[in-house]
Amino acid sequence: MTIGWHFDNTYSKLSNTFKEEIKPTPVHNPAVVILNDNLAKDLNLDFSNISKKDLSEIFSGNKIPKDITTIAQAYAGHQFGHFTMLGDGRAVLLGEHIASNNKRFDVQFKGSGRTSFSRTGDGRAVLGPMLREYIISEAIHTLKIPTTRSLAVVKTGEKVVRENLLPGAILTRVASSHIRVGTFQYIAAKQNLDDLNTLVNYTIDRHYPEIKSSNNKALDLLNLVMERQCKLVVDWMRVGFIHGVMNTDNMAISGETIDYGPCAFMNQYDPKTVFSSIDKFGRYSFSNQPPITKWNLARFAECLIPIINKDEDTAIKLATETIDNFQNIYEEKWLNMMRDKLGLYGNDKNDKKLINDLLNWMQKNKADYTNTFCYLMNIKINDQIYKDEHFVKWYNEWQKRISKNNNSKERSLKLMNNVNPIIIPRNHKVEEALAAANEDNLEVMNKLLSILSKPYEKQVDIQDYQLPLNNKDYQTFCGT
Ligand code: AMP
Ligand code: MG
């Protein structure tokens, strides 16, 4: 019974400080809900010769390959600013699968039972939130944003106790690794320099081999992680994605989006938008995502201090200089991203004002973020609002700027088409798909996934997927 796994587990060989050896807790009656055939292909896996029953045994963790050591990883994290020792409380890392080109992917079961890191939790996950992670992570991937992916969701056939009894499920998550800022915080908190060096070297080997023999590996690592995280958060700002729970344990060193809990996409533009029911003070609101990224990177930098320099004052000075550079890097990337969204080539000193004028107008007039850029690309959905005289004035200014492009209108439009999605996972459409899936109807979800698979292409009959519902009508809950 093989689907083509090719495991080469290295994290499990690190010392016990880093992990607990543990197997998934078997479940009673697993059944496949959804498999990601496209991802399987990318991973050189083949499901075609295996029965659904056997696949459900594989993706529930009931049958695991012989000769591999499965683990729960240790990590810590600042959750809403408060430091806590955490770890995989309901996840087990099956191992590192080697795909073509020797690419290495973590394969992890989420919802696979208790571990020594479970604290008071039951180690289990519920079908709705796991399917939600599946849908949104796939959407983020097709939007061309780095992310962990979802290979499968199986129902466990067991009920999970939450506010009600809910169907249990296990998600198979695929990531370039699960090393988090929180992993460094955990090891740093143990104050064992050898372990910290091990983690730094392991991470560099795996994600940043180009700095293997540099003079100050830790400082270079900080810079490279900052670069990737800046790029990531700019991508989120580009498509109106709100992660919702940017705790340091939910920030991957690889620069992939990880941990889809109370995340959601913004409809009408409002920088203060928050969907998460537990985010009372808007710590993780749309416009707070860049400063929080910087805050999290500063926590990462603190972990690296003992390795950056033997002299603590020098190390702090070097790390602080690096973190202080965040603003410049972010601003430049953000400005260029917004220029792309508006089809602007080159730099004009008034670009920032032009961009901010549009954002301010959108906020004031409660314009939909995605559909406004669609309108600028001549894709008109609910276009009444764009007759507003202030918008028309702005539009004319924008046209003047476009004419300074030294490029054809076609190229400008192409630039916009590459970065402005026509379709995003609208919150009410996601809810609709999950409600149907809960009643064993997967058609609604499959249709949604199919439309989301081509977010930058014009598709016929998708109006219903493009119309927003008011932001205020929507609240998300932590993925439990
Ligand atoms: P998350 O909110 O998913 O980022 O999880 C934060 C921490 O809580 C991690 O250490 C999780 O492993 C743990 N956790 C979340 N849900 C459960 C659960 N049902 N049982 C055990 N641990 C959990
Ligand atoms: Mg998490």
Side-chain angles (χ1 to χ4, degrees), residues 75 79 86 110 173 180 245 249-250 258-259:
Y75 55 85
Q79 301 190 300
L86 299 162
K110 187 168 171 182
R173 176 159 72 181
R180 308 146 191 263
V245 59
D249 51 303
N250 294 337
I258 189 170
D259 241 325

Side-chain angles (χ1 to χ4, degrees), residues 75 79 86-87 89-90 118-119 121-124 162 250 259:
Y75 55 85
Q79 301 190 300
L86 299 162
R90 55 161 170 177
S118 296
R119 295 172 292 160
D122 60 2
R124 291 301 185 191
R162 294 292 181 263
N250 294 337
D259 241 325

